[in-house]
Amino acid sequence: MGIKEQDIRQVYKTIDMGNDEFGEVQISDEVVASIAALTIKEVDGVHSTVGSITNEIVGKLGVKNLSKGVKAVIEDDNVMIDMNINMEYGYNILKTCSALQEKVIQTVNNMTGLNVVEVNVRIAGVIIEKDK
């Protein structure tokens, strides 16, 4: 299925906290995408996320974008995530991507309380690390 480019917009989801007398808590889709992007550091075999040409240009200008290569859409209490990644050479793609999907679902669910219904992973490249 995946997320269509025209579906990408900054959306804030109000988190239901019961009887919160201090106000409301809202989380943006960019925050969810950043959480998912940071999760790749915890999965062996995933080298990096891969952003669009716009993300690459912005990155060269020194602007940090933690969600580079990751898009999240929040609908009701459900989240759909698309990830573009580089794999490290020598790792099983299916096992690594499955581990990444499980880790993203677990982390986003735990940190936000939202229900991740879909994590689509696209392999953009394979990185061969040179001996140092």
Side-chain angles (χ1 to χ4, degrees), residues 4-19:
K4 295 182 178 86
E5 195 66 34
Q6 65 265 22
D7 291 339
I8 304 303
R9 66 218 180 280
Q10 187 74 3
V11 173
Y12 288 88
K13 167 67 180 152
T14 302
I15 306 296
D16 183 12
M17 298 177 58
N19 294 332

Side-chain angles (χ1 to χ4, degrees), residues 14 16 42 63 67 79 83 106 111 119 121:
T14 302
D16 183 12
E42 300 176 29
V63 179
S67 64
V79 179
M83 305 182 85
Q106 176 188 14
M111 290 185 71
V119 177
V121 180

Side-chain angles (χ1 to χ4, degrees), residues 30-105:
E30 275 296 310
V31 169
V32 174
S34 294
I35 292 168
L38 289 168
T39 303
I40 69 158
K41 295 178 181 180
E42 300 176 29
V43 179
D44 289 337
V46 180
H47 184 272
S48 58
T49 57
V50 180
S52 67
I53 189 68
T54 304
N55 288 92
E56 300 302 323
I57 291 170
V58 169
K60 290 184 189 302
L61 296 173
V63 179
K64 288 253 186 207
N65 182 358
L66 295 178
S67 64
K68 171 184 93 165
V70 180
K71 295 176 182 141
V73 172
I74 303 171
E75 292 179 0
D76 300 319
D77 288 333
N78 296 321
V79 179
M80 293 159 286
I81 298 171
D82 280 355
M83 305 182 85
N84 298 312
I85 65 167
N86 284 322
M87 293 277 305
E88 293 178 10
Y89 177 78
Y91 285 85
N92 181 292
I93 290 174
L94 295 178
K95 287 180 182 176
T96 303
C97 289
S98 179
L100 176 62
Q101 289 169 317
E102 289 175 23
K103 190 65 177 173
V104 167
I105 290 168

